[in-house]
Amino acid sequence: MTERFYTTSTAFLEALAEAGVQYVFANLGSDHPGLIEALAQAKADGRAGDLPQVIICPHEMVALSAAQTAALVSRSPQAVIVHVDVGTQNMGGAISNARTSRVPVLVFAGASPYTMRGELPGSRNEYIHWIQDVPDQRGIMRGHVKYDNEIRYGADVKQLVHRAIQIAASEPAGPVYLVGPREVMEQPLEPYTVDAADYRPVEPAALTPEVTAEIGRALAAARSPLIITGHLGRDPEAVPKLVELADLLAIPVIESGAFRMNFPADHPMHRGWQFTTTEQNPLLAAADVILIVDCDVPYIELNSRPSPGAEIYVIDIDPLKQGMSLWHVPARRSAAANSKVALGQIAAYVRDNGFDRELAESRRAEVTAGHDAQRAALDALEHPEDGVITPQYLTACVRDLLAGEDALVLSESITNFQVVAEHLRVNKPGSLFGPGGSSLGWFGGGSIGAKLSSPERTVVSLVGDGTYLFSVPSSVHWVARRYAAPTLTVIYDNRGWRAPKQSTLGVHPTGAAAAADDFNVSFEPEADLPGVAAAAGGAFAATVDDPAELPSVLKDALAAVHGGRSAVVAVHIPRAQGA
Ligand SMILES: Cc1ncc(C[n+]2csc(CCOP(=O)(O)OP(=O)(O)O)c2C)c(N)n1
Ligand SMILES: [Mg+2]
């Protein structure tokens, strides 16, 4: 019989499970003997099911991206364990994505032991303990987390974990960071429990009756009202509330900077998507009352703006955008409220107090005609051009492929974000996710987190070729095979980074770079991108150039996924740079 311990590490893992964490995406090191031992003891004692499942991730960027997406899909907090300062740094931009997509994730990192003569169990016994002893490990994360703290005393660890997760899960949700030096993680404890129900997230906020009435009256009286949203669909139950209000008053809805499914694409009030738009949106210019609900970038003022007389209202879980240094919308009222609750309040007010039905019906006909015309114009683009696959044709092929599937799509398609949104046209809440932030490569770990959290769904990632390389595909595909999380990845392969080229053209349209088509963004000679996945995880791998072959290759790839094997298809679209 091996020795048995109940330590801070055991209590830490139990607390995660008590808080609803199903997965710990882990990359381990010399700081984790306590956790490794606690996990092994739980397994040996037949208690492994009482703790979260550990998913070994050979790269930390993959671990946090997986946790981010598992939290989004499961709507439950998830956790990551990384190695001291360097594992923390290796999560890289994934921490920025987790923050800006408002996702509850607890990140734990060990810390160098603080004794060196055996004063306590866990004391320094490896040379690396001196090297990794940095002055401010928590400072690495401070700009990106809602809360950071150090576990200093074992008997308090569960309370600390529950408080951290309560902060992470309360709106606006976000990542939190705990560190624990080796000695405290080895501290022997009496087993104890904490009631997770005492640490529920803060309840959703409602509008005051005055603000409800003001917004309700303004929308009911408007000639050309407009709703703009971006991340309302992070709560899929908010979507029917938006549909209800848009239906009631016949209000057109625009999705702006949307990394969620916010409003059904086929609904006649859906009037399009905008990301980095360069032209004035006519609905925005014409609107007399605008409701901006859960949206980070409702418009880019330099290119597209509301009319100066428009009455603007902002309802947002974070209306001040405190994480952004520069942000302003000239709103009559801004309210910090939960959109599901607030939209229900406004719809009830309008119903109870009446509105001009004739006005709404004439607008309904007009907005619907605009919707139909917009869709017809998009449909007309869904064909190859001169024997070359276009992003529009590719997205239409993916849409057709997924027609009978319960699909969950991750889009990290960069300069094709708008094309993907416009041609994929998702209608089911919770069926589309984006990175929510600007650090490329989220989808790789994301696809694993999504598949683990919804094994019954077909997970499909639509991504740029540069983004694919940022995702650490070797690590992703090892994890995907090891934990039976097969997904389909379709690469919008323009063999380069089109985004920095577009940025340069936006500032220097007639400069030397433009004249010579010399932007330093080409990926020639071409790499075998799907081959990386085949080598690391035995994935189905194909590269497609011929438009006629595309549908059948995508079908074969999907069949491989249904057979339990991941698939990566690189699809040649027009080059980012060069002919
Ligand atoms: C971690 C990180 N590094 C660099 C960038 C800057 N960046 C933004 S878009 C982009 C190119 C993306 O290339 P790809 O995925 O092929 O999409 P494309 O631009 O070709 O559509 C780069 C390098 C970033 N956003 N994140
Ligand atoms: Mg590219």
Side-chain angles (χ1 to χ4, degrees):
M1 176 86 177
T2 49
E3 255 184 305
R4 286 292 181 264
F5 307 96
Y6 186 97
T7 63
T8 307
S9 293
T10 326
F12 170 81
L13 292 166
E14 284 180 358
L16 292 180
E18 288 163 8
V21 171
Q22 297 146 296
Y23 296 106
V24 170
F25 298 91
N27 190 295
L28 302 170
S30 54
D31 42 343
H32 300 131
L35 291 168
I36 292 170
E37 184 59 25
L39 287 163
Q41 290 198 9
K43 196 168 175 186
D45 295 346
R47 290 186 296 103
D50 296 349
L51 302 181
Q53 187 188 351
V54 173
I55 305 292
I56 300 165
C57 293
H59 197 287
E60 293 84 348
M61 159 80 186
V62 177
L64 183 50
S65 301
Q68 172 182 334
T69 316
L72 274 173
V73 174
S74 67
R75 306 193 60 210
S76 182
Q78 303 296 344
V80 172
I81 294 177
V82 293
H83 173 58
V84 295
D85 59 330
V86 290
T88 301
Q89 285 168 315
N90 243 20
M91 290 185 295
I95 192 64
S96 165
N97 291 341
R99 179 180 69 86
T100 50
S101 61
R102 303 178 177 89
V103 178
V105 174
L106 182 143
V107 179
F108 171 82
S112 183
Y114 51 76
T115 60
M116 61 182 202
R117 297 185 186 92
E119 295 91 329
L120 290 166
S123 196
R124 290 187 188 186
N125 61 351
E126 299 177 42
Y127 87 92
I128 205 70
H129 293 146
W130 279 263
I131 312 298
Q132 64 193 199
D133 184 5
V134 296
D136 189 11
Q137 185 177 320
R138 283 156 61 191
I140 300 168
M141 295 286 271
R142 206 159 286 128
H144 296 285
V145 293
K146 287 179 77 179
Y147 171 78
D148 66 272
N149 204 350
E150 177 180 326
I151 301 168
R152 297 198 183 101
Y153 187 60
D156 215 26
V157 65
K158 285 197 172 186
Q159 294 89 324
L160 213 56
V161 167
H162 284 295
R163 170 167 157 71
I165 289 182
Q166 180 181 39
I167 292 172
S170 294
E171 294 257 48
V176 293
Y177 185 56
L178 290 178
V179 300
R182 290 221 310 188
E183 291 89 337
V184 73
M185 297 310 287
E186 294 288 348
Q187 185 186 330
L189 296 179
E190 282 304 313
Y192 78 111
T193 54
V194 164
D195 188 355
D198 292 348
Y199 291 87
R200 269 188 242 282
V202 171
E203 296 302 323
L207 298 176
T208 61
E210 294 75 22
V211 172
T212 308
E214 184 175 338
I215 299 177
R217 274 198 304 269
L219 287 172
R223 299 228 130 250
S224 301
L226 176 67
I227 295 175
I228 308 177
T229 185
H231 58 91
L232 160 139
R234 73 190 183 287
D235 177 359
E237 289 167 21
V239 176
K241 295 290 176 193
L242 179 56
V243 170
E244 187 188 336
L245 181 63
D247 261 339
L248 183 67
L249 287 173
I251 308 177
V253 175
I254 295 174
E255 291 188 71
S256 187
F259 292 122
R260 300 284 183 274
M261 182 286 176
N262 296 299
F263 194 73
D266 292 343
H267 191 286
M269 294 301 113
H270 195 300
R271 289 302 312 272
W273 296 261
Q274 53 188 30
F275 287 87
T276 295
T277 39
T278 51
E279 279 154 24
Q280 174 70 50
N281 185 308
L283 288 173
L284 182 64
D288 54 355
V289 176
I290 302 171
L291 176 60
I292 298 172
V293 54
D294 281 340
C295 192
D296 288 335
V297 190
Y299 47 82
I300 297 171
E301 222 167 307
L302 203 60
N303 305 332
S304 178
R305 64 195 76 85
S307 90
E311 252 180 73
I312 301 179
Y313 296 93
V314 171
I315 299 173
D316 201 297
I317 203 59
D318 175 21
L320 292 174
K321 309 290 172 194
Q322 283 181 306
M324 299 182 195
S325 302
L326 179 65
W327 196 91
H328 179 69
V329 159
R332 293 246 170 133
R333 299 256 178 220
S334 294
N338 174 284
S339 47
K340 179 175 73 179
V341 175
L343 293 172
Q345 289 178 288
I346 295 169
Y349 177 89
V350 171
R351 227 181 275 108
D352 293 349
N353 290 275
F355 58 97
D356 183 341
R357 284 179 191 274
E358 233 172 83
L359 178 66
E361 287 321 308
S362 73
R363 188 163 57 228
R364 193 181 313 279
E366 199 184 312
V367 177
T368 304
H371 168 94
D372 293 344
Q374 199 174 40
R375 296 307 186 266
L378 292 171
D379 289 346
L381 300 173
E382 293 177 350
H383 55 77
E385 248 164 48
D386 303 325
V388 175
I389 297 169
T390 62
Q392 290 82 356
Y393 171 66
L394 169 55
T395 311
C397 289
V398 172
R399 187 185 64 220
D400 294 347
L401 179 78
L402 301 180
E405 303 280 331
D406 180 10
L408 194 163
V409 178
L410 309 186
S411 173
E412 200 169 11
S413 46
I414 317 303
T415 59
N416 290 303
F417 270 130
Q418 177 124 4
V419 169
V420 165
E422 287 177 342
H423 296 271
L424 196 66
R425 299 182 200 161
V426 295
N427 286 293
K428 190 173 157 194
S431 62
L432 178 73
F433 295 96
S438 68
S439 188
L440 300 181
W442 151 81
F443 86 92
S447 65
I448 290 164
K451 185 64 183 173
L452 290 174
S453 298
S454 58
E456 71 294 350
R457 300 183 78 177
T458 305
V459 176
V460 180
S461 304
L462 307 181
V463 308
D465 51 322
T467 296
Y468 178 79
L469 287 172
F470 276 111
S471 75
V472 200
S474 51
S475 185
V476 167
H477 284 278
W478 179 84
V479 179
R481 180 161 64 177
R482 165 70 179 79
Y483 294 99
T487 68
L488 169 63
T489 300
V490 178
I491 303 174
Y492 285 58
D493 190 358
N494 54 17
R495 288 145 285 169
W497 294 333
R498 183 163 161 246
K501 172 176 171 174
Q502 283 193 337
S503 303
T504 307
L505 289 173
V507 182
H508 301 287
T510 56
D517 191 15
D518 179 13
F519 296 89
N520 285 294
V521 296
S522 166
F523 276 171
E524 301 289 352
E526 184 181 350
D528 177 7
L529 301 178
V532 178
F540 171 102
T543 297
V544 189
D545 205 52
D546 179 354
E549 275 178 16
L550 180 58
S552 68
V553 177
L554 289 176
K555 222 166 142 216
D556 291 347
L558 186 61
V561 173
H562 286 323
R565 185 178 169 209
S566 280
V568 177
V569 180
V571 181
H572 283 173
I573 57 173
R575 281 189 170 77
Q577 178 180 307

